[in-house]
Amino acid sequence: MGQDMARRDLVRDRFDRAAGYERAATVQRVAAQRLFEKLQDRLGGRKPARILELGCGTGFLTEKLRRAWPEAEIVATDIAPHMLERARQRAGETICYRVMDAANPDISGPFDLICGNLVFQWLEQPQEAMETLEGLLAPAGVLALSTLMQGTFQEWRHACAIEAEGSGTPDYPSTVQIQRWQAPLLSGMWDSEACVQTFDNGRAFLRHLKETGASLPRAGYHPMSSAALMRSLTRFEAQGSVITWRLAYGCFAKAPRAGVFVTGTDTGVGKTFVSACLVKAWSALYWKPLQSGLAEEAGDTPTILSLTHCNPADCLSPAGAFQAPLSPDAAARAEGVSIDPASLTLRMQEPEWPMVVEGAGGLMVPATDTVMMCDLAAQWGLPVVLVARSGLGTLNHTLLSLEALRRRGIAVAGVVLNGPPNEENRKTIADKGQVRILAEIPFQPEVSAKSVEQIAAQLPSWAEVNDTSR
């Protein structure tokens, strides 16, 4: 902890003394613009009423936030007091400026937007910081971040590699590391780009690092000798004095309401039984948006009512119900109708109370002629509970389903395993899938209200599901 604080103080002092930041910070301006565009897309036209900016620097992003949302309450923070003063000069007095460490945000939420441009590479524990920031978001709130990543300054590192001391530039996080910076219950993902900058010579590049406060070497680095530095500068200039910046952007959103989307690795895996157990455990609302197969069964909504004895008003009517035991899209076409995607809007009754939304089939089942079940999960923004078999064949189906969810930036609340306990499969899914196992439900010889009540008593509470530290 002491070393972390000392490093933090060094970072703060470098940025406080970076008098030439405004003139030199070309890529920082580019990153601020890119991040601003991405967070606007993620907001989807919504106007945030309360905004928290981390590491505002001299206000490149702050100014854009104020111009876009002049009525919003904006709290701009930075660890370096002198940077805050420069931001004030740029963005004006209608913003609240505050000295704050992004790694330990001592501020009260909720915020509709939390953002930070090129700040996360300086944090010692970025994953923990993201989880803390998640707790400060309002429902449907957006967390938008950018960071430097591995490959930044690769030309300078190559020029220095032949010397014993090597380059002192920080070891920026790799793509794999950044992809793991996820608050588990936020939907979204990271993407990246490269920016190339040319300098007049090697000394201009080193001066640029100093002017932008980025000259702090990695921990434990011993500076190279003057002779080694001159040789490195010569090699760097022979390569054209070109520098590549690798930038990663992450935009994440909190669910618009309390609840989960229940899906399975395939049909018949136990989604409805698990949904009933969750409804019972959380006294939750229930919604089956699309129901097919009514020619052969009563449907999942009546089944939930029978198994949970919940208030009928707490089971919402489907947006579409069809006779044929086919995918919703195919079943609708068999009846000569089509499903209007506009009807598939997430129900917002009692938004602070958890709702269990049960999908039809698996993730890649067509909901309409243009929308798959996974598209609905992404659209609604609810974290997914994935129901899987516990036995033979589950690894491939479960890990592929988790990969499909992650590729679409869909949050995963956890996996429920149905069937005889299988410790090896449980461990493999948890480790390889990087996911919580919410429950293991043993084989039920009889599916009844009594068995639902027994299993529900063993499930994590809604508060425990939302406790990402578990």
Side-chain angles (χ1 to χ4, degrees), residues 7 10-12 14 122 168-170 172 209 213-219:
R7 181 77 177 176
L10 287 172
V11 171
R12 179 200 62 205
R14 290 294 174 109
W122 299 112
T169 54
Y172 295 115
L209 293 182
S215 59
L216 182 67
R218 65 177 182 271

Side-chain angles (χ1 to χ4, degrees), residues 274-406:
V274 170
S275 294
C277 294
L278 294 175
V279 168
K280 189 71 174 180
W282 303 338
S283 299
L285 304 173
Y286 173 82
W287 183 41
K288 176 84 172 186
L290 295 171
Q291 175 72 66
S292 57
L294 292 177
E296 299 180 354
E297 59 181 43
D300 293 334
T301 303
T303 299
I304 294 293
L305 281 168
S306 173
L307 291 175
T308 65
H309 298 154
C310 66
N311 187 334
D314 292 340
C315 282
L316 311 184
S317 300
F322 311 100
Q323 298 299 309
L326 303 169
S327 72
D329 176 48
R333 283 190 282 106
E335 297 181 21
V337 299
S338 61
I339 301 170
D340 181 4
S343 69
L344 299 174
T345 301
L346 181 64
R347 303 299 191 255
M348 293 299 292
Q349 288 93 328
E350 301 182 70
E352 295 182 358
W353 203 251
M355 174 188 283
V356 174
V357 180
E358 183 184 347
L363 290 167
M364 304 308 291
V365 168
T368 74
D369 59 346
T370 59
V371 176
M372 311 290 276
M373 276 293 154
C374 58
D375 297 321
L376 290 179
Q379 174 186 318
W380 292 331
L382 297 177
V384 163
V385 171
L386 180 64
V387 182
R389 292 182 176 86
S390 61
L392 186 66
T394 194
L395 296 182
N396 185 61
H397 291 172
T398 306
L399 295 177
L400 279 175
S401 295
L402 290 170
E403 182 176 340
L405 290 167
R406 300 253 165 74

Side-chain angles (χ1 to χ4, degrees), residues 8 12 20 25 30 39 155 191 199 215 227 242 336 341 349 353 417:
R8 182 199 64 187
R12 179 200 62 205
V30 170
L39 66 85
E155 295 87 355
D191 59 15
F199 293 89
S215 59
V242 171
Q349 288 93 328
W353 203 251
L417 294 172

